[in-house]
Amino acid sequence: MLTLHRFQLLLIVGLLITLTALPAQAAPLAATSVPQNVRFETVASGFDQLLFATHAGDGSGRLFIVERGGLIKILKNGSVLSTPFLDVSSLLALDGGEQGLLGLAFAPDYAASGVFYISYTAKSYAITLARYQVSANADIADADSGQVLLSIAKTATNHNGGMLAFGSDVYLYMSSGDGGGSGDPDNN
């Protein structure tokens, strides 16, 4: 029986692709050759500064795509929905290449609670963690539900970090940068 394993990968050029691993070949491959049991397939395109894609853990099959400029889009049933799940572009500093909407994590009980978290660089350059709630429409967040939980002040535009993830211990983990600045002026 043929078993396919699908993994979601992102390309910097703004394409969302699916990697499909086919059954392993009997003969070993040379270290420099491309495995013949791997192929790439474009499943969505047209994203602007795509950073991250994840699912909500709610069994819906939707994929949430984070763009640095402040949009979270949904890939649902093979199509990108025209209305973004969330647009926080008005909250962001974007004058540095390492700023913007930086992370997204859905609460482990998202299917019941509708709670999710984002990290971003605020207009003040602060690295910010905020909690949001989904609206009555599962494909649209309640933009007015945002509550800032943490704000880390900084003056430089770079080294922001921003990855969010829940651990197996059900704690939310957030990365932050070292404060930035060319030549590390603050000795971070």
mmCIF file of all heavy atoms in Angstrom, residues 136-169:
data_model
loop_
_atom_site.group_PDB
_atom_site.id
_atom_site.type_symbol
_atom_site.label_atom_id
_atom_site.label_comp_id
_atom_site.label_asym_id
_atom_site.label_seq_id
_atom_site.Cartn_x
_atom_site.Cartn_y
_atom_site.Cartn_z
ATOM 1 N N ALA A 136 -17.778 35.474 15.650
ATOM 2 C CA ALA A 136 -18.814 34.459 15.431
ATOM 3 C C ALA A 136 -18.586 33.717 14.117
ATOM 4 O O ALA A 136 -19.007 32.574 13.964
ATOM 5 C CB ALA A 136 -20.192 35.109 15.446
ATOM 6 N N ASN A 137 -17.903 34.365 13.166
ATOM 7 C CA ASN A 137 -17.513 33.739 11.905
ATOM 8 C C ASN A 137 -16.127 33.120 12.117
ATOM 9 O O ASN A 137 -15.157 33.840 12.348
ATOM 10 C CB ASN A 137 -17.474 34.783 10.792
ATOM 11 C CG ASN A 137 -17.015 34.229 9.460
ATOM 12 O OD1 ASN A 137 -16.425 33.158 9.370
ATOM 13 N ND2 ASN A 137 -17.285 34.981 8.405
ATOM 14 N N ALA A 138 -16.014 31.824 12.060
ATOM 15 C CA ALA A 138 -14.752 31.122 12.351
ATOM 16 C C ALA A 138 -13.607 31.535 11.441
ATOM 17 O O ALA A 138 -12.441 31.292 11.773
ATOM 18 C CB ALA A 138 -14.970 29.615 12.259
ATOM 19 N N ASP A 139 -13.901 32.175 10.312
ATOM 20 C CA ASP A 139 -12.862 32.585 9.373
ATOM 21 C C ASP A 139 -12.435 34.045 9.544
ATOM 22 O O ASP A 139 -11.648 34.556 8.749
ATOM 23 C CB ASP A 139 -13.327 32.356 7.928
ATOM 24 C CG ASP A 139 -13.469 30.878 7.602
ATOM 25 O OD1 ASP A 139 -12.740 30.057 8.199
ATOM 26 O OD2 ASP A 139 -14.307 30.538 6.738
ATOM 27 N N ILE A 140 -12.952 34.721 10.571
ATOM 28 C CA ILE A 140 -12.608 36.128 10.808
ATOM 29 C C ILE A 140 -12.410 36.342 12.310
ATOM 30 O O ILE A 140 -13.281 35.997 13.123
ATOM 31 C CB ILE A 140 -13.702 37.081 10.273
ATOM 32 C CG1 ILE A 140 -13.878 36.888 8.771
ATOM 33 C CG2 ILE A 140 -13.362 38.523 10.599
ATOM 34 C CD1 ILE A 140 -15.010 37.682 8.169
ATOM 35 N N ALA A 141 -11.282 36.922 12.670
ATOM 36 C CA ALA A 141 -11.012 37.244 14.068
ATOM 37 C C ALA A 141 -11.760 38.507 14.464
ATOM 38 O O ALA A 141 -12.111 39.328 13.616
ATOM 39 C CB ALA A 141 -9.517 37.453 14.272
ATOM 40 N N ASP A 142 -11.976 38.669 15.743
ATOM 41 C CA ASP A 142 -12.551 39.894 16.280
ATOM 42 C C ASP A 142 -11.397 40.869 16.493
ATOM 43 O O ASP A 142 -10.677 40.792 17.487
ATOM 44 C CB ASP A 142 -13.274 39.606 17.592
ATOM 45 C CG ASP A 142 -13.843 40.845 18.244
ATOM 46 O OD1 ASP A 142 -13.641 41.971 17.724
ATOM 47 O OD2 ASP A 142 -14.487 40.702 19.297
ATOM 48 N N ALA A 143 -11.206 41.783 15.551
ATOM 49 C CA ALA A 143 -10.080 42.710 15.597
ATOM 50 C C ALA A 143 -10.125 43.614 16.830
ATOM 51 O O ALA A 143 -9.090 44.080 17.293
ATOM 52 C CB ALA A 143 -10.043 43.562 14.327
ATOM 53 N N ASP A 144 -11.309 43.848 17.389
ATOM 54 C CA ASP A 144 -11.447 44.700 18.569
ATOM 55 C C ASP A 144 -11.159 43.965 19.875
ATOM 56 O O ASP A 144 -11.148 44.572 20.941
ATOM 57 C CB ASP A 144 -12.853 45.304 18.633
ATOM 58 C CG ASP A 144 -13.108 46.260 17.489
ATOM 59 O OD1 ASP A 144 -12.146 46.922 17.035
ATOM 60 O OD2 ASP A 144 -14.267 46.330 17.031
ATOM 61 N N SER A 145 -10.927 42.655 19.805
ATOM 62 C CA SER A 145 -10.685 41.875 21.019
ATOM 63 C C SER A 145 -9.221 41.891 21.451
ATOM 64 O O SER A 145 -8.887 41.353 22.503
ATOM 65 C CB SER A 145 -11.140 40.426 20.813
ATOM 66 O OG SER A 145 -10.279 39.753 19.899
ATOM 67 N N GLY A 146 -8.353 42.508 20.663
ATOM 68 C CA GLY A 146 -6.921 42.498 20.967
ATOM 69 C C GLY A 146 -6.599 43.092 22.323
ATOM 70 O O GLY A 146 -7.072 44.173 22.671
ATOM 71 N N GLN A 147 -5.801 42.357 23.086
ATOM 72 C CA GLN A 147 -5.363 42.818 24.406
ATOM 73 C C GLN A 147 -3.857 42.621 24.496
ATOM 74 O O GLN A 147 -3.369 41.495 24.384
ATOM 75 C CB GLN A 147 -6.067 42.029 25.499
ATOM 76 C CG GLN A 147 -5.667 42.435 26.885
ATOM 77 C CD GLN A 147 -6.366 41.601 27.953
ATOM 78 O OE1 GLN A 147 -7.012 40.608 27.689
ATOM 79 N NE2 GLN A 147 -6.210 42.030 29.185
ATOM 80 N N VAL A 148 -3.110 43.700 24.675
ATOM 81 C CA VAL A 148 -1.659 43.614 24.801
ATOM 82 C C VAL A 148 -1.329 42.986 26.151
ATOM 83 O O VAL A 148 -1.765 43.460 27.195
ATOM 84 C CB VAL A 148 -0.993 45.000 24.652
ATOM 85 C CG1 VAL A 148 0.499 44.923 24.967
ATOM 86 C CG2 VAL A 148 -1.215 45.539 23.245
ATOM 87 N N LEU A 149 -0.536 41.915 26.120
ATOM 88 C CA LEU A 149 -0.131 41.207 27.330
ATOM 89 C C LEU A 149 1.287 41.536 27.754
ATOM 90 O O LEU A 149 1.614 41.462 28.937
ATOM 91 C CB LEU A 149 -0.247 39.695 27.114
ATOM 92 C CG LEU A 149 -1.610 39.170 26.685
ATOM 93 C CD1 LEU A 149 -1.542 37.685 26.424
ATOM 94 C CD2 LEU A 149 -2.661 39.497 27.741
ATOM 95 N N LEU A 150 2.121 41.884 26.770
ATOM 96 C CA LEU A 150 3.530 42.156 27.042
ATOM 97 C C LEU A 150 4.031 43.137 25.996
ATOM 98 O O LEU A 150 3.717 43.013 24.816
ATOM 99 C CB LEU A 150 4.342 40.853 26.949
ATOM 100 C CG LEU A 150 5.850 40.949 27.126
ATOM 101 C CD1 LEU A 150 6.207 41.343 28.553
ATOM 102 C CD2 LEU A 150 6.494 39.605 26.774
ATOM 103 N N SER A 151 4.824 44.099 26.445
ATOM 104 C CA SER A 151 5.428 45.073 25.543
ATOM 105 C C SER A 151 6.866 45.274 25.995
ATOM 106 O O SER A 151 7.103 45.731 27.116
ATOM 107 C CB SER A 151 4.644 46.386 25.586
ATOM 108 O OG SER A 151 5.208 47.334 24.711
ATOM 109 N N ILE A 152 7.813 44.910 25.133
ATOM 110 C CA ILE A 152 9.237 45.031 25.460
ATOM 111 C C ILE A 152 9.779 46.229 24.692
ATOM 112 O O ILE A 152 9.914 46.185 23.464
ATOM 113 C CB ILE A 152 10.006 43.748 25.085
ATOM 114 C CG1 ILE A 152 9.396 42.537 25.784
ATOM 115 C CG2 ILE A 152 11.489 43.904 25.422
ATOM 116 C CD1 ILE A 152 9.939 41.200 25.296
ATOM 117 N N ALA A 153 10.080 47.300 25.419
ATOM 118 C CA ALA A 153 10.548 48.532 24.785
ATOM 119 C C ALA A 153 11.921 48.330 24.152
ATOM 120 O O ALA A 153 12.768 47.608 24.689
ATOM 121 C CB ALA A 153 10.612 49.655 25.817
ATOM 122 N N LYS A 154 12.133 48.975 23.007
ATOM 123 C CA LYS A 154 13.434 48.979 22.343
ATOM 124 C C LYS A 154 13.499 50.173 21.413
ATOM 125 O O LYS A 154 12.463 50.727 21.048
ATOM 126 C CB LYS A 154 13.725 47.659 21.632
ATOM 127 C CG LYS A 154 12.700 47.241 20.604
ATOM 128 C CD LYS A 154 12.862 45.819 20.120
ATOM 129 C CE LYS A 154 14.066 45.505 19.351
ATOM 130 N NZ LYS A 154 14.236 45.981 18.037
ATOM 131 N N THR A 155 14.685 50.544 21.043
ATOM 132 C CA THR A 155 14.843 51.724 20.202
ATOM 133 C C THR A 155 15.317 51.389 18.796
ATOM 134 O O THR A 155 15.147 52.194 17.888
ATOM 135 C CB THR A 155 15.840 52.708 20.833
ATOM 136 O OG1 THR A 155 17.078 52.030 21.048
ATOM 137 C CG2 THR A 155 15.313 53.243 22.146
ATOM 138 N N ALA A 156 15.922 50.237 18.604
ATOM 139 C CA ALA A 156 16.425 49.858 17.282
ATOM 140 C C ALA A 156 15.336 49.146 16.487
ATOM 141 O O ALA A 156 14.387 48.596 17.049
ATOM 142 C CB ALA A 156 17.648 48.949 17.424
ATOM 143 N N THR A 157 15.470 49.171 15.184
ATOM 144 C CA THR A 157 14.456 48.565 14.324
ATOM 145 C C THR A 157 14.714 47.091 14.041
ATOM 146 O O THR A 157 13.849 46.416 13.498
ATOM 147 C CB THR A 157 14.381 49.305 12.974
ATOM 148 O OG1 THR A 157 15.642 49.176 12.312
ATOM 149 C CG2 THR A 157 14.032 50.761 13.158
ATOM 150 N N ASN A 158 15.877 46.579 14.394
ATOM 151 C CA ASN A 158 16.190 45.194 14.034
ATOM 152 C C ASN A 158 16.245 44.285 15.262
ATOM 153 O O ASN A 158 16.089 44.720 16.388
ATOM 154 C CB ASN A 158 17.507 45.133 13.246
ATOM 155 C CG ASN A 158 18.691 45.657 14.036
ATOM 156 O OD1 ASN A 158 18.541 46.332 15.036
ATOM 157 N ND2 ASN A 158 19.875 45.342 13.555
ATOM 158 N N HIS A 159 16.462 43.000 15.006
ATOM 159 C CA HIS A 159 16.574 41.960 16.039
ATOM 160 C C HIS A 159 15.329 41.892 16.912
ATOM 161 O O HIS A 159 15.398 42.028 18.130
ATOM 162 C CB HIS A 159 17.824 42.163 16.897
ATOM 163 C CG HIS A 159 19.092 42.119 16.124
ATOM 164 N ND1 HIS A 159 20.306 42.060 16.730
ATOM 165 C CD2 HIS A 159 19.365 42.123 14.798
ATOM 166 C CE1 HIS A 159 21.270 42.037 15.835
ATOM 167 N NE2 HIS A 159 20.705 42.079 14.639
ATOM 168 N N ASN A 160 14.197 41.631 16.290
ATOM 169 C CA ASN A 160 12.924 41.608 16.996
ATOM 170 C C ASN A 160 12.468 40.223 17.437
ATOM 171 O O ASN A 160 11.638 40.112 18.317
ATOM 172 C CB ASN A 160 11.836 42.244 16.125
ATOM 173 C CG ASN A 160 12.114 43.704 15.900
ATOM 174 O OD1 ASN A 160 12.047 44.496 16.824
ATOM 175 N ND2 ASN A 160 12.455 44.075 14.684
ATOM 176 N N GLY A 161 12.953 39.167 16.803
ATOM 177 C CA GLY A 161 12.463 37.827 17.147
ATOM 178 C C GLY A 161 11.006 37.707 16.763
ATOM 179 O O GLY A 161 10.595 38.161 15.708
ATOM 180 N N GLY A 162 10.195 37.111 17.636
ATOM 181 C CA GLY A 162 8.757 37.093 17.413
ATOM 182 C C GLY A 162 8.092 35.747 17.264
ATOM 183 O O GLY A 162 6.874 35.673 17.228
ATOM 184 N N MET A 163 8.843 34.653 17.188
ATOM 185 C CA MET A 163 8.224 33.335 17.052
ATOM 186 C C MET A 163 7.408 33.027 18.303
ATOM 187 O O MET A 163 7.843 33.277 19.423
ATOM 188 C CB MET A 163 9.320 32.282 16.857
ATOM 189 C CG MET A 163 8.819 30.870 16.790
ATOM 190 S SD MET A 163 7.800 30.611 15.342
ATOM 191 C CE MET A 163 7.175 28.978 15.677
ATOM 192 N N LEU A 164 6.220 32.483 18.100
ATOM 193 C CA LEU A 164 5.337 32.057 19.179
ATOM 194 C C LEU A 164 5.018 30.583 19.009
ATOM 195 O O LEU A 164 4.787 30.133 17.887
ATOM 196 C CB LEU A 164 4.007 32.819 19.136
ATOM 197 C CG LEU A 164 4.006 34.296 19.435
ATOM 198 C CD1 LEU A 164 2.597 34.860 19.245
ATOM 199 C CD2 LEU A 164 4.476 34.556 20.847
ATOM 200 N N ALA A 165 4.972 29.840 20.109
ATOM 201 C CA ALA A 165 4.575 28.438 20.050
ATOM 202 C C ALA A 165 4.178 27.962 21.437
ATOM 203 O O ALA A 165 4.750 28.399 22.442
ATOM 204 C CB ALA A 165 5.714 27.576 19.516
ATOM 205 N N PHE A 166 3.212 27.084 21.481
ATOM 206 C CA PHE A 166 2.858 26.432 22.736
ATOM 207 C C PHE A 166 3.691 25.169 22.856
ATOM 208 O O PHE A 166 3.823 24.401 21.912
ATOM 209 C CB PHE A 166 1.368 26.080 22.764
ATOM 210 C CG PHE A 166 0.504 27.237 23.171
ATOM 211 C CD1 PHE A 166 -0.013 28.088 22.214
ATOM 212 C CD2 PHE A 166 0.237 27.481 24.500
ATOM 213 C CE1 PHE A 166 -0.790 29.168 22.576
ATOM 214 C CE2 PHE A 166 -0.537 28.557 24.885
ATOM 215 C CZ PHE A 166 -1.053 29.404 23.924
ATOM 216 N N GLY A 167 4.246 24.953 24.055
ATOM 217 C CA GLY A 167 5.007 23.753 24.323
ATOM 218 C C GLY A 167 4.087 22.629 24.769
ATOM 219 O O GLY A 167 2.901 22.841 25.023
ATOM 220 N N SER A 168 4.645 21.432 24.889
ATOM 221 C CA SER A 168 3.856 20.285 25.350
ATOM 222 C C SER A 168 3.396 20.486 26.794
ATOM 223 O O SER A 168 2.476 19.826 27.260
ATOM 224 C CB SER A 168 4.659 18.997 25.218
ATOM 225 O OG SER A 168 5.851 19.086 25.989
ATOM 226 N N ASP A 169 4.023 21.428 27.505
ATOM 227 C CA ASP A 169 3.623 21.781 28.866
ATOM 228 C C ASP A 169 2.470 22.791 28.879
ATOM 229 O O ASP A 169 2.037 23.237 29.925
ATOM 230 C CB ASP A 169 4.808 22.347 29.642
ATOM 231 C CG ASP A 169 5.453 23.552 28.951
ATOM 232 O OD1 ASP A 169 4.906 24.044 27.930
ATOM 233 O OD2 ASP A 169 6.511 23.986 29.418
#
